[in-house]
Amino acid sequence: KLRAKRAEVERGLQAVTTWAFERYVRWWIETKEHKYRANTLRNVRIFIKTYALPAWGTQKVVKITQEQVQAFMNARVKEGLAPSTLRVYFAYLHSIFERGVKLRMLPFNPCQHVDLPPVEKKDGPAILTPAQAVQLCDRAEGIWEVIFTFMMGTGARCCEILACQWGDIEDGKWKVTHNFAQVKGDVVEGPPKTRSSIRTIILPQFVQDKLDA
């Protein structure tokens, strides 16, 4: 069994021994693109084109080392990328290599043990008091009064509220199944990014009254 396992690993490694990173990452996109939302896939492609390919495009993927990835991330820090953005890019890169490791195409993930700068904690968003929320809704006019009342009563995101249709509301309950998102400069309607965002919200009476007005 050990010999068979070793032979399987060797076959996988041999398959990509001569592959340049550019060829490998094209293969990775083909195997993963169906799992990403359009906007996320767009961001992944931008990262690959702008950063990853200039760094390793012609280099053999099996020759990329942890030291090179660390230097790559350090260079992004010096360029002024925000730590939060850096971590998103690092997650893309880690996923790119990890796919090959799981399929026994790569011997290891060079993203392992790479150090990233800490993300500074920011002050939380300002929260309106109940009196301020009422004042905001009272001063709003037309559709904005309805939108603000809806936001205060449900805590939902603006992109979810703007995608709400009458058919989504029944018996004082709102079933959130879609929202708006920006993709390549266009605003498109689609399902929420995560399953947990698909939910049913019980509308407070003051929200129902506003919708019936």
Side-chain angles (χ1 to χ4, degrees):
K1 289 184 178 180
L2 182 59
R3 289 181 179 179
K5 199 72 172 179
R6 183 177 299 171
E8 179 184 356
V9 172
E10 289 178 352
R11 285 195 299 271
L13 294 176
Q14 290 173 359
V16 294
T17 297
T18 60
W19 282 15
F21 177 78
E22 182 178 11
R23 179 180 176 183
Y24 172 81
V25 83
R26 285 203 310 267
W27 165 84
W28 178 82
I29 290 179
E30 291 174 357
T31 63
K32 299 285 287 187
E33 61 183 351
H34 66 284
K35 295 186 177 181
Y36 284 115
R37 286 168 56 94
N39 198 39
T40 302
L41 182 61
R42 170 178 171 270
N43 292 335
V44 171
R45 290 182 182 276
I46 290 175
F47 163 73
I48 291 173
K49 180 179 180 180
T50 306
Y51 296 105
L53 287 181
W56 302 298
T58 59
Q59 183 175 344
K60 291 183 179 180
V61 66
V62 295
K63 297 293 186 180
I64 298 175
T65 65
Q66 183 269 345
E67 290 79 7
Q68 288 178 316
V69 175
Q70 183 68 70
F72 173 84
M73 303 309 293
N74 292 345
R76 305 291 79 77
V77 172
K78 292 181 180 179
E79 290 174 357
L81 285 184
S84 57
T85 301
L86 197 67
R87 288 180 179 273
V88 171
Y89 287 170
F90 180 75
Y92 295 158
L93 195 60
H94 188 282
S95 179
I96 289 171
F97 289 116
E98 190 64 21
R99 180 68 174 172
V101 174
K102 288 183 177 180
L103 296 180
R104 295 184 171 84
M105 298 173 66
L106 297 177
F108 65 94
N109 188 333
C111 289
Q112 291 181 346
H113 309 301
V114 169
D115 296 324
L116 299 178
V119 177
E120 296 181 3
K121 292 184 178 181
K122 298 181 180 180
D123 295 334
I127 300 176
L128 299 180
T129 65
Q132 290 173 327
V134 171
Q135 187 179 30
L136 175 62
C137 293
D138 288 342
R139 292 190 176 184
E141 298 179 354
I143 187 62
W144 289 109
E145 182 181 3
V146 178
I147 291 176
F148 287 148
T149 301
F150 215 94
M151 293 176 67
M152 301 302 176
T154 64
R157 303 176 182 89
C158 188
C159 61
E160 296 173 331
I161 293 174
L162 294 177
C164 178
Q165 303 176 9
W166 284 114
D168 300 330
I169 300 174
E170 185 176 2
D171 298 329
K173 298 178 180 179
W174 172 32
K175 189 173 183 179
V176 183
T177 59
H178 48 278
N179 60 18
F180 284 117
Q182 188 173 13
V183 179
K184 293 184 178 180
D186 297 325
V187 177
V188 298
E189 185 177 354
K193 188 172 183 179
T194 62
R195 291 184 179 180
S196 61
S197 294
I198 300 176
R199 62 201 188 280
T200 299
I201 298 176
I202 298 177
L203 299 178
Q205 189 60 50
F206 72 87
V207 175
Q208 297 184 47
D209 293 342
K210 182 61 63 176
L211 293 176
D212 293 337

